[in-house]
Amino acid sequence: MKYAVLGTGMVGHTLATKLATLGHEVRMGARTETNEKAQAWAEAHGPNAGSGTFADVAAWADRVIFAVNGAMILDVADAVGASAVLGKTVIDVTNPLDLSQGMPPTLIPELSNTTSAAEALQARLPGANVVKTLNTMNHLIMVDPGRVPGNHDVFLCGEDEAAKADVLAMLREFGWTDPIDLGPLAAARGTEGMMPFWLRLWGAVGNADFNYRIVRA
Amino acid sequence: MKYAVLGTGMVGHTLATKLATLGHEVRMGARTETNEKAQAWAEAHGPNAGSGTFADVAAWADRVIFAVNGAMILDVADAVGASAVLGKTVIDVTNPLDLSQGMPPTLIPELSNTTSAAEALQARLPGANVVKTLNTMNHLIMVDPGRVPGNHDVFLCGEDEAAKADVLAMLREFGWTDPIDLGPLAAARGTEGMMPFWLRLWGAVGNADFNYRIVRA
């Protein structure tokens, strides 16, 4: 598959590198074509790796991953443009955190509670099939669930069943054997709303190598 | 110990009955002294069980549990009055859900994200020592963790270490071997913010007999 990974931070790097390692063609997207981090990543990852603007890599790709700062998600959606992702599976792994007031962050009111970053993204890219996933854990665990021993869970939600099947396939390639489908995209209000709890757990556990397991009767 | 359980719903009944079964003196509090549910509960649970107004049972008790509708928490705090709980451990198990717009509910903006029901309760009862706990699971699991097999977790947070020790002791009586202390009361923003996720999981799992396990590396 051809994956565009939008975002040059730790999450973008981790996802892009894993996808390239799995044999996919991957292009890392940034605001400018000459973004140094994106170019350096592409140069380091062989002939199937590339970089470009958000719009160019999204237009090129089969699947588009939003791995940007949650506060920037709609700006990046506008930079991509709805036509570039028409009918494509768009994978949103962001969290709508307001980091402007220091730690711990709060949720951005316009992107939480009665809506979500994922729903706002879907509204901005109406022809895309947005699926929310992977936003409830540290980026290293996203692509390497075995980093935390035993069973633990990843969640996904979205409106389009074919797009969810695409994401399930990607998650299984990452090593997730049994992702939990939470239903419609509005369930992202729930998973995005867990980040304040996750940040407190980070403090209590002392490191980010933990994840949630839903234990059932 | 003498426990006041404020609230006559399922959560209040479950907690009051468990505490009475454990040998504690328990009084169920309601808005009026003649509340039929509270009186019926007291009559059914022997000489160590009683009922009364929110204010009367809180003034009588050593420990006071808020198990009311989250939207009502500050009204009930006002009915109790700060002097009735001065220096006492106040245990808040509520969730600030706005159920007025149908299912699934959202969080009440004035009691979430940049604050929490627990912090608002503490501000309204400044001489009390508020501890948040048990609000992340179905009420039956609160007092019977064995209902869900294997290891899973309960969380607590608060400002006062002695009050947290009281709550840890209560949780251990309920069967929780290793509660996770998330630190200050502001961590309740995190645990209260999980309820929208919990409600989606309820749909995905198909019943309420599940709980979170924090799996660590």
Side-chain angles (χ1 to χ4, degrees):
Chain A
M1 302 295 300
K2 297 196 283 187
Y3 278 93
V5 176
L6 311 185
T8 61
M10 288 187 301
V11 178
H13 270 80
T14 299
L15 291 169
T17 300
K18 179 68 173 189
L19 288 163
T21 304
L22 288 167
H24 298 291
E25 288 183 74
V26 183
R27 293 190 185 171
M28 183 178 282
R31 194 162 296 282
T32 63
E33 195 171 351
T34 55
N35 180 285
E36 290 182 8
K37 287 194 210 171
Q39 288 188 328
W41 178 84
E43 283 163 23
H45 288 87
N48 280 336
S51 66
T53 65
F54 290 135
D56 286 345
V57 301
W60 163 85
D62 302 311
R63 297 176 187 168
V64 179
I65 301 179
F66 275 72
V68 296
N69 178 329
M72 295 290 107
I73 192 168
L74 297 186
D75 289 344
V76 176
D78 288 343
V80 165
S83 62
V85 289
L86 203 62
K88 294 182 182 175
T89 296
V90 167
I91 303 167
D92 173 18
V93 305
T94 68
N95 278 301
L97 297 179
D98 177 1
L99 293 150
S100 68
Q101 307 300 311
M103 289 290 285
T106 55
L107 296 170
I108 297 170
E110 295 76 16
L111 297 176
S112 61
N113 198 18
T114 55
T115 184
S116 59
E119 290 165 276
L121 181 64
Q122 179 68 78
R124 201 62 71 97
L125 301 172
N129 297 314
V130 176
V131 177
K132 188 90 197 187
T133 192
L134 287 170
N135 64 305
T136 53
M137 66 192 74
N138 176 268
H139 65 106
L140 298 174
I141 303 171
M142 290 181 183
V143 300
D144 182 14
R147 202 178 156 83
V148 173
N151 291 319
H152 46 95
D153 291 308
V154 65
F155 313 99
L156 74 159
C157 61
E159 299 299 327
D160 187 86
E161 293 306 319
K164 287 205 273 196
D166 287 345
V167 174
L168 275 171
M170 183 192 77
L171 293 172
R172 292 198 173 109
E173 284 185 271
F174 289 173
W176 296 99
T177 51
D178 197 17
I180 296 177
D181 186 343
L182 295 174
L185 196 61
R189 301 175 192 185
T191 61
E192 295 175 12
M194 292 173 78
M195 191 44 55
F197 174 69
W198 187 93
L199 290 161
R200 294 291 180 179
L201 273 175
W202 188 22
V205 170
N207 64 67
D209 275 331
F210 63 86
N211 194 21
Y212 307 111
R213 171 66 175 173
I214 308 307
V215 184
R216 310 177 188 207
Chain B
M1 304 294 300
K2 296 196 286 189
Y3 279 93
V5 177
L6 311 185
T8 61
M10 287 188 300
V11 178
H13 270 79
T14 299
L15 291 169
T17 299
K18 179 68 172 189
L19 289 162
T21 305
L22 288 166
H24 297 291
E25 291 182 74
V26 183
R27 292 188 184 173
M28 183 177 283
R31 195 161 294 281
T32 64
E33 195 171 351
T34 54
N35 180 287
E36 290 181 9
K37 287 193 209 169
Q39 287 187 327
W41 178 83
E43 283 163 23
H45 288 87
N48 280 336
S51 66
T53 65
F54 289 134
D56 286 346
V57 300
W60 162 83
D62 301 312
R63 296 176 188 169
V64 178
I65 301 179
F66 275 73
V68 297
N69 179 328
M72 295 289 107
I73 191 169
L74 297 185
D75 288 345
V76 174
D78 289 342
V80 165
S83 62
V85 289
L86 204 63
K88 294 181 183 176
T89 296
V90 167
I91 303 165
D92 173 20
V93 306
T94 69
N95 279 302
L97 296 179
D98 177 1
L99 293 150
S100 68
Q101 306 302 311
M103 288 295 283
T106 55
L107 296 169
I108 298 170
E110 296 76 16
L111 298 176
S112 61
N113 197 18
T114 56
T115 185
S116 60
E119 290 166 275
L121 180 63
Q122 179 69 79
R124 202 60 73 96
L125 301 173
N129 296 314
V130 176
V131 178
K132 188 89 197 188
T133 193
L134 287 170
N135 63 305
T136 53
M137 67 192 74
N138 177 268
H139 65 106
L140 297 175
I141 302 171
M142 290 182 183
V143 301
D144 182 14
R147 201 177 157 85
V148 174
N151 291 320
H152 47 94
D153 291 307
V154 66
F155 312 98
L156 74 160
C157 62
E159 300 300 326
D160 188 84
E161 293 305 319
K164 286 205 273 196
D166 287 347
V167 174
L168 275 172
M170 183 191 78
L171 293 172
R172 292 197 173 110
E173 285 185 271
F174 288 174
W176 296 98
T177 52
D178 196 19
I180 296 179
D181 186 342
L182 295 174
L185 196 60
R189 300 174 193 184
T191 60
E192 295 174 11
M194 294 172 76
M195 192 43 56
F197 175 68
W198 188 94
L199 290 160
R200 293 291 179 178
L201 273 175
W202 187 24
V205 172
N207 63 66
D209 276 331
F210 64 87
N211 194 21
Y212 307 111
R213 172 66 175 173
I214 309 305
V215 184
R216 308 179 190 206

